[in-house]
Every structure is written in C-alpha cells, then in structure tokens.
C-alpha cells in the first residue's frame, strides 16, 4: 500500500521539519561534492577522495592513492566543484529572495534581466580593459550591472505601491533584449582573445575555475548567501503586501533595497566567474516551497544547499556526458528550466481561470 504523510489539523500533508530538511540537503550536497570530484578521465573512488581531503590533517588513509590523483583533485576538480557550489547557492538564494520580494514564483535573476545586466557589464570590463580593482574588477563590474538591472525592474514593476507582475516580466524581457544587444556589440568590437572570453559569458561554464577564481568570488557570493536569510522575517511579512508589512514594523523601503543589493551582489559575482547560467533561481525555490512551505527562514538556506547540489551535478553531467568534449552548463540548466517555467505559466493561468 502507498504510504501517506500524516495530516495536519487543516487536512494538509505534514511537511518535514526545518532541521530535518536542512540536514538531508546538507548530506546530499556532501555526497554530490564527493561524487563530482571523483568522476572524470582519472577516476578517484569515494574512499580515495576522503583520504586525499583528510591527508593534510594527518588522518590515516581509508584507501591508497597516488600523487597524480591527489594533484588532479586539489588543482583541477575541487576548485571547480567549490565554484559550482558557490554559484549555485548564490543563484538559488537570489531567486528565492526575489520571489518573496515580488510575491511571485516567476521571479528569477535570468528572466528579470539581472543575469544579462551582469553579463553586459562584465563584457564591457573585458573589452574596455577595466582592471582598476585587479582580480575584483570583473566581479565589481558584474555587480554594478546586476544592481542597475534589478533596480530598473523593481522601479518599472511598481504600480501604486504594488508589484505588477505583467510589467515585471515585460520589463525583464526588455532589459534582457537591451543587454543582449550591448553584449553583441561588445562581441563585435572584441579581439580574438576577448571573443573567446565573451563566448564563455553567453553559454556559462565552470571550466575556468582555479583557486584564485574561487577566492575572488567567495566573499561576494558568501555575503549575499548569508545576508539574504537574515531578511527572512521581513520577506515573510511582505507576503501580506507592502502596507501590511509596514504595519508590522518592517522598514519596507530599506529592506527592499537591501534585498536588491544582496541579490545583485550574489548574481553579479556568480556571472563574473561562471557566465550566464539560467533557471537555477527559478526551479530550486519553487520545488522547496512545495516541500517545506513558504517560510523564508527555512526556504532561503534550503535553497542555498539545493542550488549548490543541483549546479554541481549539472556541471558533472556537462563535463562527462560528451567527454572529452564539454557541454556548456547553461545549455543543460536551460533544458531543465525552460519547460519548468512553461509549467508554472500554465499553472498560474489555470489558477486564474
């Protein structure tokens, strides 16, 4: 017989507790990391992975390994996997925060033009040679581009103090088109070397991951990933509308701009190191909202964990499904996310009927 979840007093299936959900997602993330760093042209078993990772601590090895396996893991695979976890967590948390801010499950950094705004700013930085901040020049430019795009969508979507969802989506489409045109112009003006870099932004890839890349993105994405869950109470209040949240004592304007800034920081830094990767911020929060409910205190950290896991596994598939060639990761996430977006549109249409 089919096993059913216990019912609450309102007749709904009881959802798993926050602690259990976060524990399971943490275990899935750890498993994805071990799997991803062990798969490739040079196989490394899970026991060897753990032995290599624990070797600097002086732990007894669980399985014998050679120096080549250790070098491949530390120099090539681990930076790539950690970068994927960072970018996936940042995009998923940003998507969950945007959906809470706009009170709409269709909000997503890619659909709203935020990702393309960051990509355009990064393209400008590459073609114009803006290196004022050194290794942080590219993340800073992408952050500025994503912040401007987010602010434009937020301002255009306002209608008498409320968010007009149709206007929000149309504004996102317009900003996407404008930024894509700008990126196309930068591609036209770029040299051959710059052109290879710009192609990377359009398709998305973790192939350029190195330890300096990870360290340059870490503080920026971490700030957004850790900072956004701290706004969970305000996001919960915003489900009542801006006027209702204000009556509960939430400084609505200040919170909105704080969330917009943190979203821009997470998305901008992610685009700067991994290019345009879409739909992570759309799919992950929606799935978790069905599982854990709308409480942002659970939804935001859970989105970070599942987003990191999903992008690690997507990158693993991208680099192994057509080996030795590598499929751009943005293609795989689009193949997953686009049908899901159409499903959400149809579901909303059925609800409105």
């Amino acid at each position: 017989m089919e096993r059913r979840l216990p019912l609450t007093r309102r007749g709904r299936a009881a959802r798993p507790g926050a602690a259990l959900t976060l524990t399971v997602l943490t275990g899935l993330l750890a498993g994805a990391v071990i799997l991803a760093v062990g798969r490739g042209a040079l196989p490394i078993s899970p026991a060897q992975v753990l032995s290599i990772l624990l070797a600097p601590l002086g732990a007894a090895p669980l399985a014998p390994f050679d120096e080549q396996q250790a070098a491949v893991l530390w120099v090539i695979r681990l930076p790539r996997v950690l970068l994927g976890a960072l970018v996936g967590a940042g995009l998923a948390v940003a998507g969950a925060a945007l959906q809470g801010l706009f009170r709409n499950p269709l909000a997503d950094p890619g659909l709203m033009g935020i990702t393309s705004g960051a990509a355009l700013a990064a393209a400008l930085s590459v073609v114009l040679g803006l290196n004022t901040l050194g290794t942080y020049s590219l993340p800073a430019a992408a952050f500025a581009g994503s912040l401007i795009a987010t602010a434009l969508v937020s301002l255009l979507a306002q209608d008498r103090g409320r968010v007009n969802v149709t206007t929000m989506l149309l504004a996102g489409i317009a900003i996407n088109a404008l930024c894509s045109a700008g990126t196309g112009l930068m591609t036209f003006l770029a040299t051959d070397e710059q052109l290879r870099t710009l192609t990377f932004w359009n398709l998305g890839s973790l192939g350029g991951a190195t330890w300096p890349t990870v360290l340059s993105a870490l503080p920026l994405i971490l700030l957004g990933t850790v900072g956004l869950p701290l706004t969970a109470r305000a996001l919960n209040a915003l489900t009542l509308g801006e006027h209702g949240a204000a009556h509960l004592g939430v400084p609505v304007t200040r919170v909105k701009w704080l969330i917009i800034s943190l979203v821009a920081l997470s998305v901008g830094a992610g685009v700067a190191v991994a290019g345009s990767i879409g739909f992570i911020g759309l799919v992950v929060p929606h799935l978790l909202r069905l599982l854990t409910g709308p409480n942002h205190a659970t939804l935001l950290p859970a989105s970070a964990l599942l987003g990191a896991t999903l992008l690690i596994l997507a990158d693993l598939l991208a680099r192994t499904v057509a080996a030795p060639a590598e499929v751009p990761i943005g293609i795989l996430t689009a193949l997953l996310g686009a049908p899901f977006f159409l499903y959400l549109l149809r579901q909303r249409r059925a609800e409105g009927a």
Side-chain angles (χ1 to χ4, degrees):
M1 294 179 64
E2 182 182 359
R3 185 180 178 184
R4 298 184 178 219
L5 290 171
L7 298 181
T8 64
R9 285 178 297 179
R10 295 186 179 182
R12 294 180 180 177
R15 293 188 172 105
L20 176 60
T21 299
L22 295 177
T23 301
V24 170
L25 291 175
T26 301
L28 289 176
L29 176 58
V33 170
I34 293 174
L35 177 65
V37 296
R39 295 294 300 273
L42 180 64
I44 306 175
S45 69
Q48 289 175 320
V49 169
L50 292 175
S51 299
I52 294 171
L53 294 176
L54 296 176
L57 302 178
L62 302 175
F65 61 90
D66 56 43
E67 293 299 322
Q68 184 183 15
Q69 289 176 316
V72 167
L73 187 146
W74 283 111
V75 178
I76 299 175
R77 293 186 189 167
L78 190 58
R80 180 168 182 152
V81 170
L82 292 181
L83 187 64
L86 276 175
V87 173
L91 291 176
V93 170
L98 285 175
Q99 290 171 15
L101 180 63
F102 289 105
R103 301 182 293 284
N104 190 278
L106 300 180
D108 169 75
L111 297 173
M112 294 174 60
I114 302 172
T115 302
S116 58
L120 172 59
L124 285 168
S125 178
V126 170
V127 174
L128 300 180
L130 303 177
N131 296 313
T132 308
L133 301 178
T135 56
Y136 288 96
S137 297
L138 208 53
F143 165 66
S146 59
L147 180 62
I148 293 171
T150 309
L152 281 175
V153 171
S154 179
L155 292 173
L156 291 172
Q158 295 293 326
D159 182 13
R160 300 175 184 176
R162 300 173 64 92
V163 175
N164 188 309
V165 177
T166 303
T167 305
M168 179 191 72
L169 293 176
L170 291 176
I173 292 171
I175 290 175
N176 262 321
L178 184 62
C179 292
S180 297
T183 304
L185 178 60
M186 291 301 103
T187 302
F188 175 75
L189 298 175
T191 64
D192 289 342
E193 182 179 354
Q194 293 170 340
L195 188 59
R196 286 192 293 270
T197 304
L198 293 180
T199 303
F200 157 81
W201 303 119
N202 293 328
L203 299 177
S205 173
L206 298 173
T210 61
W211 283 114
T213 305
V214 174
L215 294 177
S216 68
L218 177 63
L220 303 176
I221 298 179
L222 206 58
L223 184 60
T225 305
V226 174
L228 284 170
L230 299 178
T231 66
R233 177 183 170 275
L235 285 170
N236 286 338
L238 282 169
T239 58
L240 302 174
E242 294 184 10
H243 294 298
H247 284 303
L248 292 176
V250 176
V252 174
T253 302
R254 190 189 313 164
V255 166
K256 283 171 59 178
W257 284 107
L258 174 62
I259 292 173
I260 286 173
S261 299
L262 291 175
V263 165
L265 191 64
S266 296
V267 175
V271 171
V273 295
S276 300
I277 298 175
F279 294 104
I280 295 292
L282 175 71
V283 175
V284 170
H286 189 79
L287 292 177
L288 286 172
R289 198 175 285 109
L290 295 175
L291 176 66
T292 66
N295 184 2
H296 289 86
T298 304
L299 179 63
L300 290 170
S303 294
L305 293 171
L306 185 57
T309 303
L310 183 60
L311 195 58
I312 287 173
L313 295 178
D315 179 61
L316 175 61
L317 182 63
R319 61 185 172 87
T320 57
V321 69
E326 183 175 318
V327 179
I329 193 171
I331 294 177
L332 292 180
T333 57
L335 288 174
L336 169 68
F340 190 82
F341 178 63
L342 294 175
Y343 161 75
L344 286 181
L345 283 177
R346 181 169 181 173
Q347 186 182 54
R348 287 183 63 82
R349 182 179 178 183
E351 290 174 354

